[in-house]
Amino acid sequence: MRLKFMMIHMMLLMVIMGGCDVNVPDTRAFQDEFTSEFMQSTKETEEGYYTFESGTGGYTMLFPIEGQIDDATYYNQNDVNEIFTFGVRNEKDNLAYGFKLTYEERGLTERIDINLKLLSNRVGYEGEFDVFQYNNNTYYYAKVDIENSTGYFIIAYIKADNDKKAIKFIKTISCLDRDQTCEIEIESEEEKTQFIMKSIEFK
């Protein structure tokens, strides 16, 4: 399995760099052993982001340096279907971000209508999607208010234009401590979310 090879690669890298004395970044992404296995380098690709490589080898994307993957939710079926969640905490602004990505490489990804319906059902969305293209991918994108809550879903179906690869992308934005108020600047949050989405490169 590709993830096993990634673990071996990380262990060899540690030996080369000095074994257990290697200095790894003091970030959640590298302080969490499972999450660090998916990072291509200890160096930030963009300020505040590492490069994440899917355990399937099917794509890469930018990953927040304070993100942490929930190993209990990670699923990889024969490198053609991968599901995982990760979270980011912003205690200063009392904000919590949750991400769920579902990667698939199969003929069903061509059925855009079915996949948008599945994505909409997961967050209770009944509206239309904005459609745009970027870097050989087509994006079906929407922002969703969470009912009876101070929060939002940002969702997208990201389809490779020249392949059967696709990702269902769900981001949740909410108050970290729900007993206290938080201010969500949704336009800024959408910009940051699309920055991550547009970094996705299918291999």
Side-chain angles (χ1 to χ4, degrees), residues 13 32 54 64 67 76 82 154 157 162 175 184 188:
L13 182 63
D32 181 71
S54 165
N76 183 341
E82 178 188 55
I154 296 176
Y157 185 64
N162 303 313
C175 298
I184 299 174
S188 173

Side-chain angles (χ1 to χ4, degrees), residues 28 86-90 93 95-99 171-174 176 183-184 189 192-193:
R28 290 185 74 201
F86 69 92
V88 180
R89 298 163 58 93
N90 180 343
D93 296 326
L95 292 172
Y97 304 96
F99 297 77
K171 178 180 179 180
T172 308
I173 309 168
S174 61
L176 180 61
E183 183 176 349
I184 299 174
E189 296 296 347
K192 290 186 288 185
T193 305

Side-chain angles (χ1 to χ4, degrees), residues 19-203:
C20 295
D21 294 329
V22 64
N23 292 319
V24 297
D26 186 21
T27 58
R28 290 185 74 201
F30 267 97
Q31 292 302 312
D32 181 71
E33 183 178 355
F34 184 76
T35 304
S36 68
E37 293 166 2
F38 296 88
M39 302 300 113
Q40 285 190 337
S41 171
T42 57
K43 295 182 179 180
E44 295 180 28
T45 309
E46 299 281 350
E47 184 177 357
Y49 297 91
Y50 300 122
T51 294
F52 163 97
E53 182 174 8
S54 165
T56 67
Y59 71 98
T60 59
M61 72 172 187
L62 292 178
F63 187 94
I65 61 174
E66 293 303 322
Q68 182 173 328
I69 297 172
D70 182 356
D71 59 344
T73 69
Y74 184 80
Y75 173 81
N76 183 341
Q77 180 186 33
N78 301 321
D79 290 344
V80 297
N81 180 210
E82 178 188 55
I83 304 170
F84 72 97
T85 63
F86 69 92
V88 180
R89 298 163 58 93
N90 180 343
E91 295 182 3
K92 177 183 176 182
D93 296 326
N94 191 34
L95 292 172
Y97 304 96
F99 297 77
K100 181 174 183 178
L101 277 74
T102 302
Y103 164 83
E104 292 182 293
E105 182 182 5
R106 59 187 74 185
L108 185 61
T109 60
E110 306 286 355
R111 296 293 305 274
I112 304 301
D113 54 342
I114 291 176
N115 284 289
L116 292 185
K117 183 65 174 176
L118 290 171
L119 183 58
S120 295
N121 287 344
R122 290 179 184 176
V123 299
Y125 181 58
E126 298 180 353
E128 299 295 322
F129 286 80
D130 293 329
V131 183
F132 62 90
Q133 290 184 303
Y134 181 82
N135 196 26
N136 298 316
N137 297 332
T138 299
Y139 293 74
Y140 302 84
Y141 173 91
K143 175 193 71 179
V144 188
D145 291 349
I146 299 177
E147 277 191 54
N148 303 318
S149 175
T150 302
Y152 296 88
F153 290 115
I154 296 176
I155 60 177
Y157 185 64
I158 304 161
K159 175 70 177 65
D161 291 337
N162 303 313
D163 209 334
K164 295 180 180 179
K165 298 176 179 179
I167 292 172
K168 294 184 184 74
F169 185 111
I170 300 174
K171 178 180 179 180
T172 308
I173 309 168
S174 61
C175 298
L176 180 61
D177 182 347
R178 298 190 180 184
D179 291 331
Q180 299 182 24
T181 59
C182 65
E183 183 176 349
I184 299 174
E185 298 179 0
I186 189 58
E187 290 185 1
S188 173
E189 296 296 347
E190 286 190 90
E191 183 177 336
K192 290 186 288 185
T193 305
Q194 289 193 25
F195 181 66
I196 295 175
M197 290 178 177
K198 289 179 178 179
S199 75
I200 291 173
E201 293 187 17
F202 292 105
K203 303 299 182 180

